[in-house]
Amino acid sequence: MNIAQALAHAKTLGLEHLQAQTLLLHALGRDLHDRAWLLLHDTDEPSLVMLQAFNALVQRRLHNEPIAYLTGSQDFHGLNLAVDPRVLVPRPDTETLVDWALSLDLEQATVLDLGTGSGAIALALKHARPSWALSAVDASADALLVASANAQALSLTLNFVQGNWFAGLHGSFDLIVSNPPYIAEGDPHLPALQSEPRQALVSGVDGLDDIRHIIEQAPHHLNAGAWLLLEHGFDQAASVQDLLIQTGFTQVQSRVDLAGIKRCSGGQWPEVK
Ligand SMILES: C[S@@+](CC[C@H](N)C(=O)[O-])C[C@H]1O[C@@H](n2cnc3c(N)ncnc32)[C@H](O)[C@@H]1O
């Protein structure tokens, strides 16, 4: 079977063409972006071992395993991150949070990423702003192993802390960012996300338990004039804005994701309270 036939077979099984190309490139041990190579070699016949590896990946994808777990990597804000089932797969929408943080134009800032997972947000910020001092927290020791391996691979220095949100943190910050779990228990989207850690996804009956906790505690860890920026669910912007305002944040506002949905909300802790 040649490359074109292998891709066509995956399509008949129900796999999208782009996904089939990515999995085939992975099975062939090639750069995952090198689709042009597949087109130029569509009559090449991969070895039986490679075709079997490809077919196994196709089956796993058809059972809903994220492509990033199958290939072991995910691009995020221009960085290539190693990912596996110990961490949430970083989403393109989360780049909205990174871009917002970078647009604040802070210099020499102390910055905290709460619930760092693969390290995606903290690493993207440190890469773009080497002068920032980044701390990254996660409750999951497994996630921190993934994040610190990514930091090492990218030669970026972060202060990793294992703990329950702010517990165990000392000092205060000029910026706190977080993409916490924000899906409600029993949400109909959860079955499609079953490969990813539940601890990264679910947060109480309305999905807002962790966001409420972070907003309530953040003022104890923010310098005057510092910002708190949060990612949240597609329908949570109004609730998150209300929580920020009730807690005393100013300049409360939201940013839209790639689909134009209000995906991040944040505010500034007042200069003088
Ligand atoms: C939605 S994931 C975000 C991962 C990563 N920041 C990203 O954007 O791809 C949420 C993360 O919060 C972590 N987490 C959940 N509960 C936590 C808690 N109580 N304290 C600290 N981290 C927590 C999870 O382990 C997970 O890595």
Side-chain angles (χ1 to χ4, degrees):
M1 185 182 277
N2 67 30
I3 281 178
Q5 290 165 332
L7 290 171
H9 179 62
K11 196 173 177 186
T12 63
L13 295 174
L15 196 63
E16 284 174 27
H17 188 59
L18 281 181
Q19 297 194 357
Q21 285 183 314
T22 301
L23 293 181
L24 184 53
L25 286 165
H26 182 61
L28 297 176
R30 302 201 66 85
D31 185 320
L32 300 185
H33 304 99
D34 204 357
R35 299 181 197 290
W37 186 91
L38 290 178
L39 292 174
L40 290 171
H41 293 81
D42 63 346
T43 56
D44 285 12
E45 296 196 354
S47 71
L48 189 59
V49 171
M50 285 174 166
L51 286 173
Q52 282 171 340
F54 173 59
N55 285 332
L57 291 168
V58 169
Q59 287 306 322
R60 289 172 62 188
R61 178 63 200 134
L62 291 172
H63 285 90
N64 259 337
E65 277 191 64
I67 288 271
Y69 290 166
L70 299 177
T71 62
S73 69
Q74 175 70 32
D75 289 337
F76 181 80
H77 213 271
L79 301 179
N80 185 254
L81 302 174
V83 294
D84 64 34
R86 291 175 291 179
V87 293
L88 185 95
V89 177
R91 309 294 205 266
D93 289 336
T94 302
E95 295 183 355
T96 301
L97 191 68
V98 173
D99 290 336
W100 189 359
L102 295 176
S103 75
L104 295 174
D105 221 14
L106 303 172
E107 283 177 25
Q108 304 283 339
T110 51
V111 181
L112 172 64
D113 174 23
L114 288 172
T116 199
S118 63
I121 298 169
L123 292 167
L125 293 177
K126 183 68 183 174
H127 183 253
R129 296 283 185 274
S131 65
W132 288 6
L134 255 301
S135 295
V137 167
D138 209 288
S140 159
D142 276 346
L144 289 174
L145 287 174
V146 176
S148 40
N150 277 322
Q152 202 171 357
L154 294 163
S155 304
L156 295 171
T157 305
L158 271 63
N159 171 37
F160 289 108
V161 181
Q162 187 187 358
N164 180 7
W165 300 129
F166 294 98
L169 279 177
H170 304 287
S172 52
F173 299 88
D174 300 314
L175 168 63
I176 298 177
V177 290
S178 183
N179 173 19
Y182 54 68
I183 300 178
E185 285 163 12
D187 185 290
H189 297 98
L190 279 173
L193 302 170
Q194 64 189 1
S195 301
E196 297 181 88
R198 190 177 160 85
Q199 190 187 11
L201 298 168
V202 181
S203 187
V205 287
D206 63 355
L208 288 168
D209 279 6
D210 289 301
I211 286 179
R212 264 191 291 268
H213 177 81
I214 291 169
I215 292 176
E216 188 187 294
Q217 292 300 312
H220 303 298
H221 303 271
L222 288 168
N223 295 326
W227 285 83
L228 171 65
L229 308 182
L230 297 165
E231 179 172 326
H232 50 68
F234 71 97
D235 56 355
Q236 294 172 335
S239 305
V240 176
Q241 284 205 13
D242 283 349
L243 288 166
L244 288 162
I245 291 166
Q246 284 162 21
T247 308
F249 282 87
T250 59
Q251 307 255 25
V252 171
Q253 53 198 281
S254 298
R255 292 285 185 280
V256 295
D257 64 15
L258 299 168
I261 292 166
K262 285 182 183 168
R263 176 63 61 183
C264 302
S265 296
Q268 189 175 26
W269 193 240
E271 297 281 353
V272 181
K273 186 74 182 164

